[in-house]
Amino acid sequence: MLWNTLLLALRAIRRNLMRSFLTILGIVIGVAAVITMVTLGNGATRSVSDQISSMGSNLLIVIPGQRFGPGSEGAPKFKNADVEAIRNQISAIERVAPVVSKTATAVYQANNWSTVVTGSNDDYFQAGNWELADGRTFSESEERAGKAVCVIGETVRDKLFGRQNPVGGEIRIKQFACEVIGLLKPKGQSAMGSDQDDTVVMPLRTVQRRLSGSQDVNRLTVSVKAQTSIDAVKKQLTLLMRERRKIGENEDNDFQVMDTRQIAETLTSTTRILTMLLGAVAAVSLLVGGIGIMNIMLVSVTERTREIGIRLAIGALEREVLLQFLIEAVVLSSLGGLIGIALATGASIGLAGMMGVTYLFDPTINLLSFLFSAAIGVVFGYFPARRAAGLNPIDALRHE
Amino acid sequence: MSDTALIRLSGITKIYGRGQAAFQALKGIDLAIDAGDFVAIMGPSGSGKSTVMNILGCLDTPTSGAYEFEGVHVEQLTRNQRALLRRNYLGFVFQGFNLLSRTTALENVELPLIYRGAAAAARHAAARAALAQVGLEGWEHHTPAELSGGQQQRVAIARAIVTQPTVLLADEPTGNLDTHTSQEIMSLIGSLNRDHGITVLMVTHEPDMAEYAKRIIHFIDGSVDSDRRHEDAA
Ligand SMILES: Nc1ncnc2c1ncn2[C@@H]1O[C@H](COP(=O)(O)OP(=O)(O)OP(=O)(O)O)[C@@H](O)[C@H]1O
Ligand SMILES: [Mg+2]
């Protein structure tokens, strides 16, 4: 009986190709959208955490304020003296790079380019895994004197110098001229999608004096010596900073010391929320697809009440007619689900490549979407057919 | 009326609608039909011929009265049991064909066999044979939309006889056919009755067609008006 009913269901699908196609379409789009969104979101999350952990596990970042991101502006910034204090008082620390950043327009001859100017010291390059393509980094005397020298990233070179060698050239930033002494090797996009090579690095003093106009330091990047406990260093660093910022016994920190794992968590929690949001939007489209199926099934059952009457009249049992409609609906919606999964896999791989995020196959979301589409078929295929199959054959036959 | 009757109707009534709109289409029909009989039902339009055929074919239920089929009280059967009765004993030709649209003649004729669970090869062979019997060789793969009214009628007949039913119920099987084809169909039905022992109940408006039957029952206004044996019939 099952085999015969399957045969009847397949014949009915073949008989109504257009309707079958429309039924499938809603599910295909819904399933493909959900899977693609979630897959890309997961990929982005993975890319962010991968990139941050590739920064190395021996890195600590100290920022003012109680949390990472916007809203930390109120807390006092760090001072130049903090850098010296950390370097001198915590022996397990290898490097301390203060960071001040400003956006500014850099000009070379007829070219100008708006970029981020970072003020720091020589440690900045080591802690940030930067390598030189050409030239050199700052000398201690240049740092101390706040000389107008800079090391530029690949993007800035490209925009200002084109193919030329920039080392020895002179760019203008705001009112002052600045000699290019080094060119950094390209690093590509950051975890958050910004161009890391779009950068100009100068000695800290130079930026403070000529660009930011204050003695503030926005951030400290600290690298810890190998073979030392990062947690112990974090504690020492926290204690030292509390003391220097005169925070009372019962007061909370007005700064944060984060290791790379924590940064990764903070950043990935953002992309995770984004994934959920995108997934939710896509789920709505799946729901709309489901309503489409419901609609088509309802219309088709009304249309096919006469057909149901014929089948009953020539000896079909009510349950055979129902089973046929059920199989039809399940075959259509699972076919839609499978096509959707195939489409989503293609789209995810393609888009992940274009966006530079990792492609991760997520079995859960694939399975869930598939089951959901099959369930839609069951619900919307079965229930409308039940009413028609419960009629007297003659009443079903007379149905207009 | 003998006790060996295949079909026995006693006091069958049928009321359509309710209250003000109620209409009594059958006003107490008593009828016994023996196995192997060939009965023509005649009568003016609206006299209840189709109504009684639908009840006999288990497509509709009477408002009151008893319907015995081989001694079984059909009015007491469940929906499924009545479906099985239709499947295994009855063949029905509708006044309006009722073929599945966008489905080939062959598939339409195969349908009752699919529900009987016949194997594919046997099914195809039987369906082809039934189509050949009604003179539709070569039209197996045409859909109803590609067939004339008479051809559709013949597909409907083929579908009703493909299962070799105990009883063939035909509601105006020649209503859409020319005289020549009508006579072919009637002789086919006659031979099914004669050679295969299929009991035939047929509604017709045409006295010529009724001539093929062994017994002619006249309906008027929901009641049996006359019921006579046709001695010359084959
Ligand atoms: N579903 C229905 N609802 C209400 N009245 C009906 C219904 N079916 C039939 N009738 C009425 O019952 C009466 C008998 O109908 P029936 O179809 O049995 O006539 P008939 O003898 O087959 O006529 P014809 O020769 O025109 O086919 C008619 O008056 C018709 O209007
Ligand atoms: Mg009629």
Side-chain angles (χ1 to χ4, degrees), chain A residues 394-395 398, chain B residues 14-17 21-26 41-54 60 95 171-172 203-205 219 221-222:
Chain A
I394 200 72
D395 294 325
R398 284 206 189 103
Chain B
K14 178 70 186 182
I15 300 176
Y16 287 115
F23 176 83
Q24 185 160 16
L26 294 178
I41 296 176
M42 299 190 73
S45 182
S47 56
K49 306 182 296 291
S50 292
T51 305
V52 83
M53 288 292 271
N54 291 339
D60 207 353
Q95 200 169 353
D171 198 346
E172 301 198 30
V203 172
T204 182
H205 277 293
F219 269 61
D221 244 4

Side-chain angles (χ1 to χ4, degrees), chain A residues 15-16 306 312 318 320 389, chain B residues 79 87 98 101-103:
Chain A
R15 268 201 304 142
N16 301 292
R306 249 171 53 81
L312 291 172
E318 190 177 332
E320 288 169 331
Chain B
R79 274 176 67 79
R87 174 187 297 186
N98 280 328
S101 55
R102 282 166 287 167
T103 304

Side-chain angles (χ1 to χ4, degrees), chain A residues 4 8 11 14-16 306-307 310-313 315-318 320 389-394 397, chain B residues 16 54 59-61 79-80 83 86-87 94 98-103 107 110-111 114-115 117 123 159:
Chain A
N4 280 331
L8 290 172
R11 278 187 183 177
R14 198 192 56 202
R15 268 201 304 142
N16 301 292
R306 249 171 53 81
E307 175 191 330
I310 295 171
R311 293 183 184 277
L312 291 172
L317 300 180
E318 190 177 332
E320 288 169 331
L391 293 173
N392 253 343
I394 200 72
L397 280 170
Chain B
Y16 287 115
N54 291 339
L59 302 175
D60 207 353
T61 47
R79 274 176 67 79
N80 272 343
R86 289 195 292 272
R87 174 187 297 186
F94 298 92
N98 280 328
L99 299 175
L100 287 187
S101 55
R102 282 166 287 167
T103 304
E107 285 178 353
E110 266 183 16
L111 207 55
I114 292 183
Y115 287 116
R123 210 165 62 208
R159 184 178 66 186

